[in-house]
């Protein structure tokens, strides 16, 4: 009897110990998220996340759990797609149920901070099992300054592992230690090569090698795409089984993908809408021609499931998700964005990338220089034509002389070259030679069509050559900017300024030289798209489209040869093909550099100015009163834009090109990509 008692006591003790050591029951990440994750803000703040509202993230999320044999997934997506939420849920589940070393990689400081501070930290805080609740500690060790065991801003520690947040541009970040799981966000913005240290995606993969044998590693690639043929996520998507979200036709129940197809052709399938307000966006199904109205979109979306469109042995799951299906973007907003983009390649790229989740095909071979010469017009050299409200000057310094172009701009981005010249003379001194001539241009006043005179609005000077002289000249001439062109597709037109003058302690000197980088590649595409535009003949008048480039008869053949001097070529770089700009043999490109510089300098006006801003500027310029009315500066499609088109009233009422997207209702964690929708810098 005594023996039996002892035995059962041992069994009891043993059982308790086993219970403590035994891993918890396996649970799929989506189920775990539904039971644990609490939304920090938005419409459902304080409530558990309900993935029934976003069924499209359930499958890829579950594939990131330890019970699935899949190692890799790739997601090519639009903005507003909830895939950031998916990554966050995967992280939370892993910390609680599959603790290990993990890495999250973001392309920029801003993206990393946003992911960490505005999303991950709040998710951990709100989710009791991770951040603690009612005085009980959670799994993530709190951030304490004194203990090395605690978490830090960029490292979340927990029992059994740590989550590191890394920058794709920092080789040191990517080389830290071995990791089991890597979550790579916005990979299209990663560099191809980190200063000779290699491809960031290869560096990340290299850290998972020790998990290859056990097969337990996981890697997710998520990104909005960029340029066709260059896009990293496009290649990954195409290498996988290409799953698309198939919804049910509400009439005949056939499964289909909502497609972008001939939006203005009423006789075919796809998303249809009018070219102006009211857009009346609706979907016509391919199967039976049924019309799905905008208000039915979310219900139809929820009938969806993932089906591979390119299955094959050994192919890993890849997903494409766009705004046609996304429950966060009304069809009306898609229509509005597309109509607003018009022929502007910058805006079309944004539409393609952030709404359709597709890479944009840059075309960009220069138009023939003879054709441009034939288009020359009889406007007066050095005079600002009617309609222009901005004046930019850009200069390109050479060994013996400076190329300079002066461009007048209308609010719809029509441009007139009003002056182009080579200022002959030495460029070694700020006070003499060519720089003395440049100083005259700095002070010059240019007559407009109404008897007023203006000076420049923007003045840029390339500092790639004679850098110190250029800096000194910009220090002495207020309102001028030293610039430097950089290669690459993911670059913004004009970077923020960096101080070039610092004292011996490394502090910036007031009034010192500042340098701004110019993302030249996308701007060259933009210029060539605009230069290829032709006027529309309407009766006896010519109508010039937005972005049209006017050239005066005073411009010579050399000017036209220079501005058309480059072309796009496919280049194989580290085993990948990418599109690069190449100069034509023995053709100088200085005037092209000047135009690209001007495009960079004026870009911010076209992105941020509203019709009222332009009207105010017209008034300041002394333009006749009848030409100052804001509606003259309102793009035609938006003159009657109503309130409440698929979003907030204030957003819809704005007519400026950059602010015309109605902001979808914030739903807390689901609201990823809001900032992305405004990042359409090119
Ligand atoms: Zn049907």
């Amino acid at each position: 009897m005594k023996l039996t008692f002892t035995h059962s006591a041992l069994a009891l003790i043993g059982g308790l110990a086993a219970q403590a050591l035994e891993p918890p029951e396996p649970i799929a990440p989506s189920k775990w998220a539904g039971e644990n994750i609490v939304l920090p803000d938005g419409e459902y703040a304080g409530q558990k996340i309900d993935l029934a509202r976003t069924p499209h993230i359930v499958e890829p999320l579950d594939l990131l759990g330890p019970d699935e044999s899949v190692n890799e997934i790739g997601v090519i997506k639009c903005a507003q797609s909830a895939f950031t939420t998916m990554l966050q849920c995967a992280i939370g589940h892993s910390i609680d149920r599959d603790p290990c070393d993990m890495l999250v990689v973001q392309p920029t400081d801003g993206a990393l901070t946003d992911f960490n501070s505005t999303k991950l930290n709040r998710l951990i805080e709100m989710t009791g099992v991770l951040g603690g609740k009612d005085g009980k500690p959670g799994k993530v060790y709190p951030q304490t300054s004194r203990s090395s065991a605690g978490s830090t801003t960029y490292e979340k520690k927990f029992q059994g592992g740590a989550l590191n947040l890394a920058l794709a541009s920092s080789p040191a970040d990517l080389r830290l230690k071995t990791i089991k799981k890597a979550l790579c966000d916005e990979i299209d913005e990663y560099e191809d090569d980190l200063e000779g240290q290699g491809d960031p995606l290869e560096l990340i993969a290299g850290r998972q090698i020790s998990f290859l044998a056990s097969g337990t590693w996981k890697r997710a690639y998520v990104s909005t795409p960029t340029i066709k043929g260059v896009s990293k996520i496009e290649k990954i998507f195409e290498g996988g089984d290409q799953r698309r979200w198939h919804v049910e036709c509400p009439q005949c129940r056939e499964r289909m993908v909502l497609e972008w197809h001939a939006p203005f052709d009423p006789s075919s399938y796809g998303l249809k809408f009018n070219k102006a307000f009211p857009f009346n966006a609706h979907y016509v199904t391919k199967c039976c021609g049924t019309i799905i109205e905008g208000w039915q979109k979310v219900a139809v979306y929820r009938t969806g499931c993932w089906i591979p469109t390119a299955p094959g042995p050994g192919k890993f799951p890849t997903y494409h998700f766009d705004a046609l299906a996304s429950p966060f973007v009304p069809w009306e907003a898609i229509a509005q964005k597309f109509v607003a983009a018009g022929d502007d390649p910058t805006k079309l790229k944004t539409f393609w990338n952030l709404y359709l989740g597709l890479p944009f095909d840059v075309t960009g071979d220069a138009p023939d220089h003879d054709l441009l010469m034939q288009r020359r017009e009889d406007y007066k050299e050095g005079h600002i034509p009617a309609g222009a409200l901005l004046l930019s000057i850009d200069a390109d310094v050479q060994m013996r002389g400076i190329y300079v172009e002066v461009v007048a701009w209308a609010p719809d981005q029509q441009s007139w070259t009003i002056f182009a010249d080579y200022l002959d003379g030495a460029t070694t001194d700020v006070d003499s030679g060519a720089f003395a001539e440049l100083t005259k241009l700095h002070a010059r006043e240019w007559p407009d069509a109404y008897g007023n005179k203006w000076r420049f609005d923007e003045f840029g000077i390339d500092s790639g050559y004679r850098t110190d002289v250029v800096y000194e000249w910009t220090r002495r001439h207020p309102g001028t900017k030293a610039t430097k062109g950089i290669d690459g597709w993911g670059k913004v037109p004009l970077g923020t300024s960096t101080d070039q003058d610092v004292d011996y302690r490394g502090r910036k000197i007031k009034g010192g030289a500042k340098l701004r980088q110019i993302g030249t590649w996308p701007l060259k595409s933009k210029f060539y798209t605009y230069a290829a535009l032709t006027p529309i003949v309407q009766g006896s008048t010519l109508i010039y489209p937005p972005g049209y480039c006017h050239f005066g008869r005073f411009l010579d053949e050399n000017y036209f040869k220079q501005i058309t001097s480059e072309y796009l070529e496919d280049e194989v770089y580290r085993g990948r093909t990418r599109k690069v700009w190449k100069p034509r043999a023995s053709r100088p490109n200085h005037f092209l550099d000047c135009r690209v510089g001007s495009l960079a300098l004026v870009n911010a006006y076209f992105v941020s100015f509203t019709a009222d801003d332009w009207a105010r500027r017209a008034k300041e310029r002394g333009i006749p009163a009848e030409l100052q009315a804001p509606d003259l500066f309102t793009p035609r499609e938006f003159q009657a834009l109503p309130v409440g088109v698929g979003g907030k009233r204030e957003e819809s009422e704005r007519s400026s090109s950059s602010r015309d997207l109605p902001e979808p209702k914030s739903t807390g964690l689901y609201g990823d990509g809001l900032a992305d929708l405004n990042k359409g810098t090119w």
Side-chain angles (χ1 to χ4, degrees):
M1 193 148 184
K2 202 178 179 180
L3 202 83
T4 315
F5 177 73
T6 308
H7 182 79
S8 52
L10 276 174
L12 185 69
I13 292 159
L16 279 173
Q19 206 175 16
L21 292 172
E22 221 169 76
E25 280 290 289
I27 176 172
S30 62
K31 188 152 186 284
W32 179 91
E35 290 173 8
N36 289 283
I37 286 182
V38 177
L39 292 167
D41 56 14
E43 201 179 347
Y44 306 106
Q47 295 178 29
K48 292 266 166 72
I49 195 170
D50 180 4
L51 293 184
R53 282 195 282 264
T54 53
H56 71 284
I57 64 170
V58 169
E59 182 188 300
L61 170 62
D62 286 345
L63 292 183
L64 294 174
D67 304 316
E68 296 284 348
S69 59
V70 163
N71 293 114
E72 271 182 297
I73 66 166
V75 178
I76 185 169
K77 63 174 190 74
C78 61
Q80 295 290 317
S81 63
F83 279 101
T84 302
T85 307
M86 178 197 77
L87 293 178
Q88 306 257 340
C89 291
I91 290 167
H93 171 266
S94 194
I95 291 173
D96 186 34
R97 296 307 175 103
D98 184 28
C100 59
D101 287 322
M102 290 184 270
L103 186 70
V104 170
V105 186
Q106 294 285 347
T108 59
D109 266 326
L112 193 64
T113 305
D114 181 54
F115 186 87
N116 191 32
S117 316
T118 64
K119 298 186 183 111
L120 186 60
N121 283 345
R122 283 156 80 186
L123 176 137
I124 291 171
E125 230 169 76
M126 299 292 290
T127 302
V129 64
L130 303 177
K133 199 184 174 184
D134 304 330
K136 278 201 299 194
K139 297 238 165 144
V140 178
Y141 302 155
Q143 239 171 280
T144 47
S145 52
R146 292 197 192 137
S147 158
S148 62
S151 296
T152 63
T153 309
Y154 296 113
E155 186 179 32
K156 318 283 174 205
K157 290 187 180 171
F158 44 86
Q159 180 81 50
L163 169 73
N164 278 280
L165 296 149
L167 263 185
S169 56
S170 160
D173 274 12
L174 305 183
R175 287 222 169 103
L176 271 174
K177 56 181 176 183
T178 294
I179 43 157
K180 189 165 135 187
K181 299 183 182 177
L183 306 174
C184 311
D185 203 8
E186 291 304 341
I187 63 167
D188 264 28
E189 290 180 51
Y190 296 6
E191 300 286 340
D192 290 333
D193 182 40
L194 297 178
E195 291 149 18
Q197 306 208 49
D199 179 342
L201 292 176
E202 282 169 20
L203 292 179
I204 293 163
R207 291 180 52 182
Q208 298 186 291
I209 286 172
S210 57
F211 288 96
L212 288 184
S214 67
T216 54
W217 59 283
K218 298 276 180 185
R219 194 154 61 229
Y221 305 101
V222 176
S223 193
T224 46
T226 49
I227 308 272
K228 197 166 181 58
V230 173
S231 168
K232 296 176 169 66
I233 196 67
E234 176 192 27
K235 286 203 179 70
I236 288 172
F237 175 74
E238 287 175 350
D241 65 6
Q242 306 182 28
R243 299 177 188 199
R244 308 283 312 269
W245 189 247
H246 285 65
V247 299
E248 247 180 37
C249 170
Q251 183 62 36
C252 73
R253 304 281 159 203
E254 193 171 310
R255 289 251 170 227
M256 61 177 174
V257 175
L258 295 168
E259 282 179 89
W260 178 253
H261 178 254
F264 302 129
D265 178 2
S267 66
S268 76
Y269 67 96
L271 185 68
K272 304 292 157 203
F273 48 87
N274 300 326
K275 285 182 180 168
F277 177 81
F279 299 110
N280 188 23
H282 60 279
Y283 194 90
V284 179
T285 68
K286 197 177 186 177
C287 43
C288 61
T290 290
I291 288 175
I292 307 173
E293 299 292 351
W295 59 267
Q296 297 173 291
K297 178 185 180 184
V298 172
V300 168
Y301 150 75
R302 284 189 185 163
T303 65
C305 66
W306 289 111
I307 298 176
T309 60
K315 282 190 178 176
F316 61 101
T318 56
Y319 299 88
H320 174 261
F321 193 70
D322 63 21
L324 289 172
S326 172
F328 308 112
V329 187
W331 284 337
E332 200 71 4
I334 299 175
Q336 182 190 332
K337 192 71 182 182
F338 181 69
V339 169
D343 289 329
D344 185 335
T346 332
K347 293 178 186 168
L348 281 173
K349 177 181 176 290
T350 302
F351 178 78
W352 225 248
N353 294 163
L354 301 187
Y355 285 74
L356 300 185
L358 291 173
F360 185 66
D361 199 1
V362 282
T363 48
D365 276 354
D368 188 80
H369 85 274
D370 281 330
L371 287 176
L372 294 186
M373 266 190 95
Q374 285 164 22
R375 265 181 24 199
R376 285 181 299 178
E377 299 162 44
D378 282 322
Y379 62 82
K380 237 174 160 179
E381 182 176 12
H383 285 244
I384 299 163
L389 285 178
L390 260 183
L391 197 65
S392 67
I393 303 180
D394 197 78
D396 192 28
V397 181
Q398 304 298 311
M399 191 159 82
R400 248 211 89 80
I402 301 176
Y403 285 91
V404 60
E405 188 194 29
V406 184
V407 185
W409 303 86
D412 69 355
Q413 301 197 53
Q414 281 188 66
S415 65
W416 292 261
T417 305
I418 64 164
F419 182 85
D421 203 2
Y422 177 65
L423 312 175
D424 201 4
T427 53
T428 45
D429 185 80
V430 283
D431 285 325
S432 61
F435 275 103
E437 295 302 308
L438 195 65
T439 301
K440 286 183 195 160
L441 285 182
H442 181 261
R444 182 162 166 178
E445 293 188 317
W446 309 81
D448 72 7
Y450 311 102
N452 309 293
K453 283 187 166 183
W454 332 338
R455 285 180 68 214
F456 66 88
D457 293 288
E458 293 292 338
F459 199 134
I461 173 165
D462 185 83
S463 64
Y465 193 70
R466 305 268 194 234
T467 307
D468 291 334
V469 189
V470 170
Y471 286 168
E472 181 56 23
W473 192 83
T474 57
R475 277 182 212 115
R476 295 187 188 190
H477 296 94
T480 60
K481 293 182 172 94
T483 63
K484 186 175 189 247
I486 43 166
D487 291 350
W489 290 109
K491 305 291 190 284
V492 296
L494 191 66
T496 50
S497 70
T498 49
D499 291 298
Q500 299 303 306
D501 292 338
V502 290
D503 64 14
Y504 66 97
R505 285 180 182 162
R507 290 180 307 205
K508 69 173 180 187
I509 294 169
K510 212 176 162 201
K514 294 181 190 317
L515 178 67
R516 281 164 173 267
Q517 289 193 329
I518 291 178
T520 58
W521 285 14
L523 291 172
K524 285 174 186 171
S525 286
K526 179 169 177 164
F527 175 51
Y528 285 155
T529 306
Y530 279 174
L533 293 172
T534 49
I536 302 149
V537 185
Q538 220 166 66
S540 59
T541 51
L542 285 182
I543 299 193
Y544 295 105
Y548 185 82
C549 302
H550 300 265
F551 301 108
R553 206 162 293 285
F554 53 89
L555 297 162
D556 64 10
E557 187 172 19
N558 174 45
Y559 170 83
F560 289 97
K561 279 192 163 165
Q562 289 207 14
I563 61 169
T564 56
S565 62
E566 298 199 15
Y567 65 100
L568 269 182
E569 193 181 75
D570 287 341
E571 178 188 86
V572 178
Y573 179 78
R574 297 181 65 88
R576 291 205 191 105
T577 307
R578 61 175 196 170
K579 285 181 189 236
V580 297
W581 284 104
K582 288 270 165 81
R584 275 178 226 285
S586 71
R587 233 204 239 185
N589 60 357
H590 313 300
F591 283 127
L592 175 62
D593 285 345
C594 289
R595 174 55 70 110
V596 164
S598 265
L599 276 163
L601 294 168
V602 298
N603 180 67
Y605 295 85
F606 301 121
V607 169
S608 67
F609 263 36
T610 62
D612 286 337
D613 292 331
W614 288 116
R616 197 174 316 114
R617 173 158 287 246
K619 196 173 170 190
E620 286 161 11
R621 291 285 190 225
I623 307 290
E626 66 272 21
L627 299 176
Q628 292 175 16
D631 61 352
L632 290 173
F633 307 110
T634 308
R636 262 154 301 191
E637 311 81 71
F638 290 108
Q639 283 176 11
L641 194 71
V643 295
V645 176
K648 289 201 323 206
R649 192 185 176 97
E650 320 80 78
E651 287 295 324
S652 308
E653 278 178 338
R654 287 191 193 148
S655 55
S656 148
S657 56
S658 69
R659 303 177 190 173
D660 53 10
L661 186 83
E663 192 179 320
K665 211 182 283 175
S666 170
T667 49
L669 282 174
Y670 292 130
D672 64 311
L674 272 177
D676 291 352
L677 287 175
N678 294 320
K679 82 176 178 187
T681 41
W682 121 261

